[in-house]
Amino acid sequence: MVKFYIGIDFSKKTFDATVMEHGKLDAKGVHKVFENSPREVQKLIQWTKEQTGVSDVDEPVFCGEQTGLYSEAVNDGLAEAGCFM
């Protein structure tokens, strides 16, 4: 069972990520803003590991709306790292 969901909201210059725990989806969650660039994907993955305590990147589910060019770098980076998006 999935224990953590990472919701991502994409924009041209940044993307916002929020960690939500299964069963507590009505809670506020933990939020951080990242620069929308390929190098920031590794920072997102590291931050996710720190916030959730999981070591395998394929354990949490990353969720975000496909927004074309705005989501492309993050989607590609997460897929290359073995994350489930």
Side-chain angles (χ1 to χ4, degrees):
M1 177 203 291
V2 174
K3 184 160 176 149
F4 294 99
Y5 299 91
I6 295 47
I8 303 174
D9 184 29
F10 301 100
S11 66
K12 185 175 184 177
K13 294 183 179 184
T14 62
F15 65 90
D16 294 50
T18 302
V19 175
M20 303 297 293
E21 189 171 354
H22 182 78
K24 299 179 182 178
L25 297 179
D26 58 343
K28 187 174 181 180
V30 181
H31 173 259
K32 185 168 181 170
V33 178
F34 297 87
E35 180 184 318
N36 195 349
S37 69
R39 70 176 177 272
E40 292 287 290
V41 175
Q42 289 306 313
K43 291 180 183 179
L44 168 64
I45 292 169
Q46 183 60 39
W47 176 77
T48 299
K49 289 178 180 180
E50 292 167 2
Q51 298 305 313
T52 62
V54 301
S55 58
D56 294 325
V57 294
D58 64 342
E59 190 173 324
V61 174
F62 293 83
C63 311
E65 182 179 359
Q66 171 60 287
T67 57
L69 291 177
Y70 294 168
S71 60
E72 187 174 297
V74 177
N75 289 340
D76 291 348
L78 289 172
E80 288 173 14
C83 300
F84 184 75
M85 176 81 175

